[in-house]
Amino acid sequence: MDTHDRTAQHIKDSLDTKNLAECLTPTGRFSYCALCATSLSCLYKDHVHNEFKLDCLRILCNHLKLMLQLRTMQEMASCELPLDAKVYVRSLKKEEVLKDGLMIIVQDLLLLAISNGLKVGTYDARWRVLILYVTRIFDLDLNIVDNFELQVVNCLSNFLPAQTEQEQADAARRNNISKTKRFAMIGLASVGGGILIGLTGGLAAPLIGSGLASVLGSSAIFGAIGTIGGSAVIGSLFGVAGASLTGYKMHKRVGDIEEFQFHKLSTDTETGDVHLHITIVISGWLSDERESSYIQPWEYLRDSPEQYYLRYESSYLLELGKAMDYFLSFAVSVAVQESLKYTVLSGLMAAIAWPAGILGLSSVIDNPWGVCCRRSAQVGKQLADTLLTHSHGNRPVTLIGYSLGARVIYYCLREMSQREKCHGIVQNAILIGTPCTRNSSEWNKITQVVAGRVVNAYCRSDWLLKFLYRTLSMQANGVAGLEAVQSSNDRIENIDLTSIVSGHFDYPQKLSEILMFIGINVDESAKLKHQIISTQSMPEGMCEKLNINNHFDNMKKSKSEIDLAIMSKNNEGQ
Amino acid sequence: MDPSVLTTLKILLIGQSGVGKSCLLYRFTDDTFNVDNAVTIGVDFKMRKITVDNNNIKLALWDTAGQERFRTLTPNYYRDGQGAVLVYDVSNRDSFTCLETWINELNMYSTKPNIIKMVVGNKIDQERRVSREEGIAFARRHQTLFIETSAKTKEGVHMAFEELVRKIINTPSLWEKPEDVNVVRCNNENSAPEQSYCSC
């Protein structure tokens, strides 16, 4: 193995390369910092994030030698009306060091975030969202963030320094030291400086080495993060190696959950098995007993290199799936479905207007649906417990779910919002066709927990969901899976899927198309299949898209109103 | 929010590099004076409470960098400014002549058309190159307030900010929020008689 040589080379390189903060002009340093501050003000308006913003700015100012500017940056980060970020981008583009592109800033920011993550033991989702946001402002491909994270992790986990017997003994001893003690030692290193490196082995290095953030390639990684003890450290601090979700066992049950397990969705061994961001997907119901019925809908999803699916309450989900199948194929003819779709679209239908044939069969589906609804709420709470204890590692997680799976996510986030230290864990939450309330104050609570996007994807022609909620008192607030969530804060992205799906049954089959529409990474082959160009977008970009949707909405609405008018006319005639 | 505070005003400090904007700011906020103040990087922010005509007012002071290399960044901060302090150095003729460009830039980027401007001739403790009359003439031409100060000797510093704030407070359209119109009305009624006495 030439690992050692390579490592030596890396370290040599990192000494040759320079610190980005030193290469930038004062204007550049200021622009870099102010850009981040402005981004923070756009991303995190809620006061619960103030502490994070301050931490974040302190790290940035320290890194860029702008400590005197901290108060100013703080003010910029709390502006109600964010300042124009484009000015800073223009100014950064003039920098000599950045003439090859602004990617270096993204790298630098990422290294800063990761070295801070190693220091405090958590890679905060809000850091990651900030990096993605800045990347988007720079007009760069968001995938470079993923790629760069991979590079960092690979670099760190492959790096195993030559160990002498003494060092091995030290390492063994170190492993026995509790986590808190280890942090204390890292903290000490900042006081004692170089002398302590010898005492703590490589562990003190993250702090001392963080000043060496360099400009070039993989050597920069060592420059920024230091010569730490490889996979052991990254594993213990990020929890990526030790805490595997697939091995998760329920220690404490919430309610009477019978099944709650994580399984790997994709076994993509090419990119290694430790990553700094994971995705958990949750299905709504099962069409058959096979494992594949969990996996199939998510086949093309490529949101992160490490993806899991949640296996929960299979027997009940299967029962529901069967009931839905029966309901759809035997009870409700295509013609009826079609008319239902448009009647639902009009939004005028009262409970009494349901065709008698469907009402007669309601018992088939009402019972399993009720059971699954209750259980999915409990599963959501269990999931919240799992995430809050960082069983998935101290890294950002994205949650995606449809139907009851989205309900699991909704209850998970709601539970999290009521607990302490709930921020900075969930990066994005994508809820598709959610059977839950549309109450805006409830949704506002869950947006606090999520660092990045909160998506409510709904379908206005989802007659099944409307039918299932026909007797419930939720009519006043409405159902999130049927309509947009009206909210005073702009954190919730409402995405209308009516043009893609015609009802609840379509969600599993059309999932990759939906994900693409929402702006989630999917496999290239799926893109070709649907002939749609994916637009990866964050809240702002979404607005344009939504406007287009609204336009379509109006068109559709007017059409259905005409249909209704014709129908009522016919009735009169009869 | 503190109920005793009437409003928070955004005040900008603008002018050529080295005229003493930061020194004025530090004199006003911390009552300190440092001859070799470092060059301001980008923009500096300070907060101070001030009482003018029995109104407690919070000032958010944005001290912009005068250096040429920051010129592209600073106009970003002009937005929503209710008052601007345009500073020149009485011992440096250049800083006075280029005030014209600063005032133009301010007019171009400020979002409030009736922003209150004040021209401040700083460093009167030093040998003069610009006379007081010239300064007054310039201020009159651009319809701004005028005062001469010395951050070093403290002279005029507090008065400059006080005058500026008073003028802003007397222009309610600059800072009144639609919802607290009533509050302001009462306040005006109270303060109006006082003022009429003053101006007598």
Side-chain angles (χ1 to χ4, degrees):
Chain A
M1 284 290 277
D2 59 345
T3 322
H4 297 169
D5 299 341
R6 236 191 302 150
T7 311
Q9 188 58 40
H10 278 318
I11 294 166
K12 196 175 158 294
D13 284 351
S14 73
L15 291 174
D16 291 340
T17 54
K18 285 178 218 143
N19 185 341
L20 178 62
E22 277 162 21
C23 298
L24 290 169
T25 66
T27 325
R29 283 187 286 141
F30 179 82
S31 302
Y32 177 4
C33 200
L35 177 69
C36 294
T38 308
S39 305
L40 284 172
S41 78
C42 297
L43 287 168
Y44 305 115
K45 292 198 172 70
D46 202 293
H47 63 89
V48 295
H49 299 296
N50 284 353
E51 202 182 320
F52 167 77
K53 284 202 275 195
L54 183 60
D55 272 353
C56 191
L57 290 172
R58 195 175 283 134
I59 290 160
L60 271 163
C61 287
N62 193 24
H63 174 60
L64 295 165
K65 300 187 179 59
L66 287 170
M67 250 354 227
L68 288 171
Q69 246 61 18
L70 182 60
R71 180 74 186 82
T72 313
M73 293 300 162
Q74 221 185 318
E75 188 61 26
M76 281 189 221
S78 54
C79 274
E80 271 175 42
L81 287 163
L83 298 156
D84 182 15
K86 290 277 177 277
V87 177
Y88 306 120
V89 178
R90 276 199 294 277
S91 148
L92 282 169
K93 276 183 179 156
K94 286 183 205 145
E95 291 290 312
E96 179 63 25
V97 221
L98 303 173
K99 61 178 186 295
D100 294 330
L102 296 173
M103 205 190 273
I104 293 164
I105 297 275
V106 178
Q107 292 181 352
D108 190 64
L109 201 56
L110 190 80
L111 286 172
L112 203 61
I114 293 175
S115 66
N116 177 62
L118 284 165
K119 229 179 288 166
V120 299
T122 312
Y123 181 24
D124 197 297
R126 287 169 289 187
W127 263 108
R128 195 167 195 272
V129 171
L130 172 68
I131 295 166
L132 289 167
Y133 191 84
V134 170
T135 312
R136 202 175 63 91
I137 290 177
F138 288 161
D139 261 338
L140 295 169
D141 185 354
L142 294 184
N143 288 324
I144 66 164
V145 177
D146 277 333
N147 286 340
F148 202 66
E149 274 177 353
L150 275 178
Q151 278 180 40
V152 174
V153 174
N154 285 344
C155 225
L156 290 177
S157 39
N158 293 335
F159 170 58
L160 293 164
Q163 284 189 326
T164 63
E165 259 174 51
Q166 178 58 40
E167 275 172 346
Q168 270 166 4
D170 278 350
R173 186 171 50 82
R174 241 187 354 251
N175 287 340
N176 292 331
I177 299 171
S178 69
K179 217 175 192 177
T180 43
K181 227 172 182 177
R182 194 180 296 154
F183 290 144
M185 287 173 91
I186 294 171
L188 272 176
S190 63
V191 185
I195 309 153
L196 272 167
I197 298 181
L199 290 177
T200 58
L203 268 176
L207 196 92
I208 297 155
S210 62
L212 292 168
S214 55
V215 175
L216 297 166
S218 64
S219 60
I221 296 159
F222 289 103
I225 293 167
T227 54
I228 48 173
S231 57
V233 171
I234 199 158
S236 62
L237 294 185
F238 285 102
V240 280
S244 169
L245 264 184
T246 49
Y248 178 78
K249 294 271 187 315
M250 260 194 294
H251 291 300
K252 195 184 80 189
R253 254 169 223 258
V254 175
D256 47 7
I257 300 171
E258 285 166 21
E259 192 183 13
F260 186 88
Q261 278 173 355
F262 296 98
H263 292 267
K264 261 222 157 107
L265 189 64
S266 47
T267 43
D268 192 1
T269 46
E270 254 175 62
T271 49
D273 51 356
V274 276
H275 299 282
L276 292 173
H277 166 234
I278 66 161
T279 302
I280 297 174
V281 300
I282 308 162
S283 293
W285 67 87
L286 297 175
S287 46
D288 58 54
E289 286 102 343
R290 280 170 302 166
E291 197 74 13
S292 63
S293 77
Y294 268 113
I295 299 168
Q296 218 162 27
W298 309 100
E299 198 178 2
Y300 294 108
L301 179 71
R302 297 290 179 274
D303 184 51
S304 110
E306 200 176 342
Q307 301 179 135
Y308 295 90
Y309 65 90
L310 178 65
R311 213 187 138 100
Y312 67 102
E313 308 299 68
S314 302
S315 53
Y316 297 95
L317 293 181
L318 193 62
E319 209 170 298
L320 175 67
K322 278 179 185 159
M324 280 169 95
D325 255 3
Y326 177 79
F327 198 64
L328 188 67
S329 52
F330 299 108
V332 191
S333 70
V334 177
V336 172
Q337 275 187 54
E338 217 35 45
S339 70
L340 277 174
K341 215 167 85 185
Y342 283 108
T343 346
V344 168
L345 260 175
S346 74
L348 290 171
M349 185 153 60
I352 210 155
W354 292 102
I358 296 183
L359 278 176
L361 276 160
S362 64
S363 61
V364 174
I365 196 158
D366 274 352
N367 195 35
W369 176 260
V371 169
C372 285
C373 266
R374 195 168 52 81
R375 284 184 181 260
S376 61
Q378 286 171 349
V379 167
K381 284 175 187 161
Q382 179 77 48
L383 182 62
D385 255 358
T386 316
L387 296 180
L388 284 165
T389 52
H390 292 276
S391 304
H392 65 292
N394 296 314
R395 48 189 171 159
V397 55
T398 290
L399 304 169
I400 309 177
Y402 67 86
S403 183
L404 288 164
R407 188 177 160 90
V408 170
I409 297 173
Y410 174 79
Y411 276 93
C412 165
L413 297 174
R414 210 180 75 156
E415 180 71 15
M416 282 175 88
S417 72
Q418 289 159 1
R419 309 275 199 93
E420 275 173 40
K421 292 188 179 155
C422 60
H423 308 290
I425 296 171
V426 180
Q427 186 189 324
N428 295 330
I430 316 292
L431 291 86
I432 303 163
T434 322
C436 73
T437 176
R438 203 167 65 91
N439 184 319
S440 59
S441 64
E442 290 290 323
W443 275 79
N444 281 347
K445 276 183 218 154
I446 76 165
T447 56
Q448 284 183 9
V449 185
V450 183
R453 308 175 66 188
V454 181
V455 174
N456 173 42
Y458 60 95
C459 168
R460 282 173 295 112
S461 58
D462 190 344
W463 62 266
L464 182 71
L465 205 53
K466 187 110 180 171
F467 177 72
L468 291 164
Y469 273 99
R470 72 195 179 282
T471 54
L472 296 181
S473 53
M474 287 192 45
Q475 302 289 350
N477 280 318
V479 181
L482 286 170
E483 281 163 290
V485 175
Q486 305 296 342
S487 165
S488 48
N489 73 22
D490 51 1
R491 288 291 311 282
I492 300 166
E493 285 176 52
N494 286 298
I495 298 178
D496 190 348
L497 301 175
T498 314
S499 56
I500 300 175
V501 291
S502 56
H504 218 69
F505 303 107
D506 282 350
Y507 284 128
Q509 280 92 38
K510 298 202 168 159
L511 209 53
S512 42
E513 203 177 331
I514 294 167
L515 292 171
M516 235 186 295
F517 190 71
I518 296 173
I520 307 286
N521 255 357
V522 289
D523 196 70
E524 289 300 321
S525 57
K527 275 183 203 170
L528 288 173
K529 203 169 127 192
H530 296 292
Q531 295 284 309
I532 296 174
I533 300 145
S534 162
T535 46
Q536 263 227 345
S537 53
M538 304 263 291
E540 264 175 49
M542 223 56 239
C543 296
E544 298 158 25
K545 212 183 228 178
L546 284 178
N547 283 340
I548 300 167
N549 287 346
N550 284 341
H551 182 63
F552 279 124
D553 287 357
N554 293 339
M555 278 167 56
K556 277 226 175 90
K557 206 169 213 157
S558 55
K559 184 176 179 281
S560 61
E561 269 162 15
I562 294 165
D563 283 353
L564 200 77
I566 294 167
M567 271 164 65
S568 55
K569 212 171 187 181
N570 287 346
N571 285 344
E572 272 169 29
Q574 281 162 3
Chain B
M1 282 291 274
D2 192 349
S4 65
V5 175
L6 178 65
T7 183
T8 303
L9 299 178
K10 182 176 175 179
I11 311 285
L12 312 161
L13 278 106
I14 301 165
Q16 208 193 19
S17 174
V19 296
K21 295 181 293 298
S22 303
C23 285
L24 273 175
L25 179 70
Y26 280 101
R27 176 57 86 192
F28 179 61
T29 55
D30 307 345
D31 202 16
T32 54
F33 182 75
N34 188 1
V35 189
D36 12 82
N37 238 347
V39 181
T40 307
I41 295 177
V43 62
D44 216 351
F45 174 84
K46 286 262 178 196
M47 208 71 177
R48 198 200 142 151
K49 258 190 212 167
I50 177 174
T51 310
V52 177
D53 302 334
N54 293 325
N55 291 318
N56 287 325
I57 286 145
K58 254 193 190 167
L59 297 184
L61 299 143
W62 293 83
D63 171 24
T64 62
Q67 281 195 328
E68 191 60 39
R69 53 180 170 174
F70 296 110
R71 274 306 261 282
T72 50
L73 299 180
T74 44
N76 208 2
Y77 302 95
Y78 294 0
R79 203 185 59 192
D80 293 329
Q82 286 127 322
V85 181
L86 294 129
V87 190
Y88 71 94
D89 177 356
V90 294
S91 68
N92 176 351
R93 187 126 207 123
D94 262 4
S95 72
F96 180 66
T97 37
C98 70
L99 214 53
E100 195 84 37
T101 49
W102 286 106
I103 217 164
N104 286 339
E105 195 177 270
L106 178 66
N107 288 335
M108 198 194 308
Y109 290 104
S110 91
T111 50
K112 293 187 188 285
N114 53 350
I115 179 172
I116 308 294
K117 283 164 272 194
M118 172 179 256
V119 172
V120 172
N122 194 26
K123 303 197 190 174
I124 46 169
D125 53 293
Q126 292 188 18
E127 198 193 333
R128 268 184 190 275
R129 296 264 193 277
V130 185
S131 71
R132 191 181 164 83
E133 287 69 35
E134 283 177 281
I136 292 173
F138 178 85
R140 190 162 292 155
R141 196 163 67 247
H142 292 279
Q143 292 173 312
T144 72
L145 303 167
F146 178 79
I147 199 165
E148 287 193 328
T149 62
S150 165
K152 193 173 178 181
T153 66
K154 261 177 149 170
E155 198 183 334
V157 177
H158 197 84
M159 221 212 305
F161 285 100
E162 216 175 83
E163 271 307 309
L164 183 69
V165 170
R166 186 167 292 132
K167 189 76 191 286
I168 299 171
I169 294 301
N170 289 335
T171 319
S173 64
L174 265 177
W175 53 274
E176 233 177 60
K177 285 187 194 113
E179 62 264 28
D180 53 37
V181 169
N182 289 331
V183 181
V184 175
R185 284 275 155 71
C186 297
N187 221 313
N188 274 356
E189 276 163 25
N190 289 343
S191 60
E194 270 175 49
Q195 267 177 1
S196 64
Y197 288 121
C198 287
S199 55
C200 279

